[in-house]
Amino acid sequence: MPQPWPHPQPPQQQSPQPGPWPAPGGPYEPGGPYEPEGDGRPRRGAGRVFGGVLCGGLGLVLLLGGGAVVAKAVSNSHQEIRNKEYARNLWRNEPAEALFPAALGLQDPEKRQGDPDTERGWTRVAISPETSCAKALSGAVAKEAARRGCVAALRATYVDDTGGTAATIAIVVFRDPKFALDLGDLVHDKGDADRPDQAVHALAAPGITWSDAVRAGSGGDKVLDVYAPCAVVASAGPADGRKAGRLPQPWGKRSYQQRMDREPWNAVAEGLAESLAWRLTDLIPQGKA
């Protein structure tokens, strides 16, 4: 009897046998398992590290450069360029009322830059329309100013708050700033003479007895601006016509006693000239001409 044909058995799958692991510390074999090094992260190449540092440094340089450009632009936007011609021709560019303010002298300690003037001590009572150096100046100051090439001399008369002292103040203008620097020193040198020839001719004003004959002291100062060829000189004295420096005997027996009688007016003229010189110094940077 014939035997039944045996059914074919499906082939059994054999699981692959793992290969041998590389020995500890041994080289990695292609096809074998990957073993991380160190902290488990792949090691970076030196070229990648150098490239990263270079890019970071370049970015920092560009960032700093851009910041410097922005800072320079902001600085330039606030920069004020001095107008040299305005300073050289200050006496033409400003009206007489700005050069000689209505009140002059001591400034309010709370005054801020740009605020209205808050000065006190002296009140303006007259302004001369003349600009002639010869008509404004007198004595040794007039001679020296002419020698240096005086261009103009503007005058105004002030009276102090007590009404007892008058002063005529002059702004003396030259072509070169260096000629104005020491004009005030010349006034000081002549102030100690027994019979000083005062620096500024008195400009008369209504309500006061003010003339050349009663001038008792003089002073001067320079305008502290490298482009402004200006100096300020002033002469002061009693506003009631009294003549200082002519004390009767026995008080005026010696010349130094006569000089002592004039000293207060020297100090007054000096302070007034200094006050106006500082005011002009502050006025010049504000010029828009």
Side-chain angles (χ1 to χ4, degrees):
M1 186 172 183
Q3 296 293 326
W5 187 264
H7 294 283
Q9 298 293 326
Q12 297 182 355
Q13 296 181 352
Q14 296 182 355
S15 58
Q17 298 296 323
W21 289 95
Y28 169 74
E29 295 293 337
Y34 173 76
E35 182 179 359
E37 298 179 358
D39 58 358
R41 292 178 297 181
R43 180 179 298 175
R44 294 182 178 180
R48 294 180 61 190
V49 173
F50 177 76
V53 173
L54 181 62
C55 291
L58 181 60
L60 180 60
V61 170
L62 293 176
L63 180 63
L64 293 177
V69 171
V70 172
K72 183 65 175 177
V74 173
S75 176
N76 289 341
S77 67
H78 296 286
Q79 185 177 5
E80 294 184 359
I81 300 177
R82 293 290 307 278
N83 191 331
K84 300 178 184 179
E85 291 303 318
Y86 168 84
R88 292 191 181 107
N89 295 280
L90 178 67
W91 67 283
R92 290 192 181 100
N93 292 326
E94 289 290 344
E97 290 77 9
L99 298 175
F100 297 109
L104 187 61
L106 183 66
Q107 293 188 0
D108 186 337
E110 300 298 327
K111 177 181 177 180
R112 299 179 181 177
Q113 185 176 4
D115 284 353
D117 294 338
T118 54
E119 299 184 35
R120 60 188 185 274
W122 294 86
T123 301
R124 189 190 67 219
V125 293
I127 296 180
S128 173
E130 297 281 350
T131 61
S132 168
C133 299
K135 291 183 178 181
L137 307 177
S138 67
V141 173
K143 295 177 182 178
E144 184 62 21
R147 189 183 70 83
R148 299 182 183 188
C150 179
V151 174
L154 293 75
R155 285 183 300 163
T157 293
Y158 287 81
V159 176
D160 76 333
D161 288 346
T162 68
T165 301
T168 297
I169 188 167
I171 302 173
V172 188
V173 184
F174 298 92
R175 297 189 184 281
D176 193 322
K178 68 181 180 182
F179 293 143
L181 292 177
D182 61 344
L183 192 66
D185 296 335
L186 179 63
V187 179
H188 304 158
D189 294 341
K190 299 299 181 182
D192 292 333
D194 290 343
R195 290 174 178 257
D197 49 0
Q198 306 298 337
V200 184
H201 283 299
L203 175 64
I208 59 174
T209 307
W210 175 235
S211 64
D212 283 354
V214 298
R215 295 175 300 172
S218 297
D221 202 359
K222 55 183 173 293
V223 178
L224 295 176
D225 188 277
V226 294
Y227 303 119
C230 303
V232 178
V233 292
S235 291
D240 58 2
R242 184 178 78 84
K243 296 181 180 180
R246 295 187 179 182
L247 295 175
Q249 301 296 337
W251 300 278
K253 186 176 181 178
R254 291 174 173 78
S255 61
Y256 78 88
Q257 294 173 320
Q258 306 291 357
R259 290 198 300 270
M260 288 176 62
D261 189 46
R262 293 193 302 266
E263 284 181 0
W265 285 280
N266 282 326
V268 163
E270 182 72 18
L272 191 57
E274 181 179 348
S275 180
L276 184 59
W278 275 107
R279 193 182 192 284
L280 294 176
T281 301
D282 293 338
L283 178 65
I284 290 172
Q286 304 173 20
K288 300 292 189 296

